[in-house]
């Protein structure tokens, strides 16, 4: 059981600058890191602290970071620490990520195997194949594949087969691009658009659009709205607005009004109004 930690009183700008000048030598805990006044300083300090810590100390920092109450802040700290632990002791990092997976934190496992594959892809494949839980094994395998450049189709195909991911070459590329979307959605969607037209390209584009819309719906909408292919544009607008409506129905409705009449297909309109009605049925009825 974890006890939620409380940040100390926020450090003054002068004290924070002194800490930076001294390379954060006096800081050793997550609570102390969170007392720094800016997000950049917190992440800078944690990188330095984790860089000089040994395996046991990093695990203690991970335990502390897991107790941070604010989700986005907690995930940001854990990403830094799990990447460092993967460098020091990848199997322990994988074990911690698997335990986190059991507790419904699904983001650490693919991160560990991505970092591990960058360091030693054969060892990462071997470890992923030894995972007994089917869902965890699949998640770890996708993490390994996402470490490979999407341009290296031959390696993606070879590694995917070793991991038991039996798909067509186009499916390998599609899966890799969807994984890439979490890091660079614009680059991923540009690469997907030039794939051979067909199911795999459409699947990749929809997966990328959904990932992008989850992270930044306004940015995803602005990009998709400029796609020249009418069929693709409508298809992806529906995907983006579906996710946006789920996150913020009023904002999705407002942006729907900016589309020309031809862009407001029955599918898009239905999706947005369904979520708007769930949140505020009277407003939805007034609009209609």
């Amino acid at each position: 059981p974890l006890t939620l930690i409380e940040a100390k009183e926020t450090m003054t700008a002068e004290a924070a600058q002194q800490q930076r000048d001294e390379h954060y030598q006096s800081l050793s805990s997550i609570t102390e890191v969170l007392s720094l006044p800016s997000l950049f300083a917190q992440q800078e300090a944690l990188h330095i602290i984790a860089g000089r810590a040994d395996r046991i100390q990093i695990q203690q920092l991970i335990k502390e970071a897991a107790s941070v109450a604010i989700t986005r802040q907690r995930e940001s700290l854990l990403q830094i620490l799990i990447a460092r632990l993967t460098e020091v002791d990848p199997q322990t990092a994988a074990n911690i990520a698997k335990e986190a997976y059991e507790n419904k934190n699904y983001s650490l496992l693919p991160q560990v195997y991505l970092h591990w594959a960058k360091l030693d892809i054969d060892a990462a494949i071997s470890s992923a194949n030894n995972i007994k839980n089917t869902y965890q094994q699949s998640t770890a395998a996708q993490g390994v594949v996402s470490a490979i450049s999407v341009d290296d189709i031959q390696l993606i195909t070879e590694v995917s087969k070793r991991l038991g991911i039996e798909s067509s070459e186009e499916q390998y590329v599609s899966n890799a691009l969807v994984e890439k979307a979490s890091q660079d959605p614009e680059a991923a969607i540009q690469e997907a658009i030039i794939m051979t037209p067909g199911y795999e390209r459409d699947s990749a584009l929809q997966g990328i659009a959904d990932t992008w819309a989850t992270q930044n719906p306004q940015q995803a909408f602005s990009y998709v709205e400029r796609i020249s292919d009418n069929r693709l544009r409508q298809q992806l607008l529906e995907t983006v607005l579906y996710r946006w409506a789920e996150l913020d129905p009023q904002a999705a409705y407002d942006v729907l009004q900016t589309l020309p009449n031809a862009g407001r297909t029955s599918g898009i309109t239905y999706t947005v109004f369904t979520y708007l009605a769930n949140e505020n049925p009277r407003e939805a009825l007034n609009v209609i």
Side-chain angles (χ1 to χ4, degrees), residues 98 101 109 113 124-144 160 162-165:
K98 285 187 284 186
Y101 193 101
L109 195 59
Y113 280 90
I125 291 170
S126 176
S127 175
N129 283 337
N130 285 329
I131 296 175
K132 304 303 181 188
N133 181 293
T134 303
Y135 298 107
Q136 291 184 12
Q137 197 279 332
S138 175
T139 301
Q142 291 299 335
V144 173
S160 296
R162 290 174 63 187
L163 289 163
I165 307 173

Side-chain angles (χ1 to χ4, degrees), residues 14-141:
E14 293 77 12
Q17 184 58 52
Q18 184 176 350
Q19 284 289 345
R20 174 174 286 151
D21 294 340
E22 296 172 355
H23 304 290
Y24 304 103
Q25 287 295 331
S26 65
L27 303 188
S28 60
S29 71
I30 295 298
T31 304
E32 290 169 337
V33 167
L34 294 180
S35 70
L36 290 162
S38 74
L39 177 61
F40 178 83
Q42 291 172 10
Q43 294 188 345
E44 179 186 46
L46 190 59
H47 275 104
I48 292 172
I49 293 168
R52 65 177 181 239
D54 61 24
R55 179 173 60 86
I56 302 301
Q57 291 168 330
I58 298 169
Q59 289 181 72
Q60 178 58 38
L61 287 168
I62 288 173
K63 184 176 181 181
E64 292 175 27
S67 302
V68 173
I70 301 172
T71 302
R72 184 170 295 181
Q73 191 176 48
R74 180 176 63 249
E75 293 300 317
S76 176
L77 297 172
L78 286 172
Q79 282 180 13
I80 294 169
L81 293 169
I82 208 72
R84 175 59 180 150
L85 184 59
T86 304
E87 285 187 340
V88 175
D89 186 346
Q91 190 56 62
T92 296
N95 292 341
I96 289 172
K98 285 187 284 186
E99 186 176 348
Y101 193 101
E102 293 291 336
N103 289 306
K104 295 183 168 49
N105 182 337
Y106 306 118
S107 65
L108 295 184
L109 195 59
Q111 289 177 43
V112 168
Y113 280 90
L114 183 151
H115 294 308
W116 196 350
K118 294 277 190 186
L119 297 167
D120 186 342
I121 195 165
D122 290 328
I125 291 170
S126 176
S127 175
N129 283 337
N130 285 329
I131 296 175
K132 304 303 181 188
N133 181 293
T134 303
Y135 298 107
Q136 291 184 12
Q137 197 279 332
S138 175
T139 301

Side-chain angles (χ1 to χ4, degrees), residues 44 62 68-69 86 135 164 176 199 202 205 211 237 249 268 274 281 286:
E44 179 186 46
I62 288 173
V68 173
T86 304
Y135 298 107
Y199 172 79
D202 288 356
L205 285 167
T211 298
L237 280 174
I268 291 175
T274 297
N286 288 340

Side-chain angles (χ1 to χ4, degrees), residues 177 184-195 205 208 212 223:
L177 286 173
D184 190 346
E186 185 169 343
I189 205 167
Q190 287 171 355
E191 291 180 47
I193 284 174
I194 62 175
M195 289 174 65
L205 285 167
I208 294 163
W212 199 352
Y223 186 92

